[in-house]
Amino acid sequence: MCFYDWRQKVEHSASHYLAKTVALAKRQTGAERVKHVSHSMGGLVARAYVQGGRVKE
């Protein structure tokens, strides 16, 4: 699960929260990719992460 501050901009949440969660999942599993499921605002954060180029991980 990835919890984030919904009051922040979507791009901020993607780079400061989701990117860290993805990086952690990759380290813990050894996987090169992760699958995620999101809902509502989380979908916007996920899209910003995917479309935003290389955000900090």
Side-chain angles (χ1 to χ4, degrees), residues 1-43:
M1 293 180 114
C2 176
F3 298 98
Y4 60 92
D5 185 352
W6 57 269
R7 297 168 295 189
Q8 297 293 327
K9 292 188 177 202
V10 171
E11 295 81 9
H12 179 272
S13 295
S15 64
H16 287 84
Y17 296 99
L18 185 56
K20 291 178 182 179
T21 302
V22 169
L24 177 63
K26 287 179 180 180
R27 278 195 310 274
Q28 289 181 341
T29 64
E32 292 182 23
R33 294 179 167 195
V34 297
K35 293 181 181 180
H36 64 268
V37 177
S38 56
H39 178 266
S40 194
M41 185 68 166

Side-chain angles (χ1 to χ4, degrees), residues 42-56:
L44 298 177
V45 173
R47 183 174 69 183
Y49 172 76
V50 170
Q51 293 180 341
R54 302 308 292 157
V55 294
K56 296 177 190 174

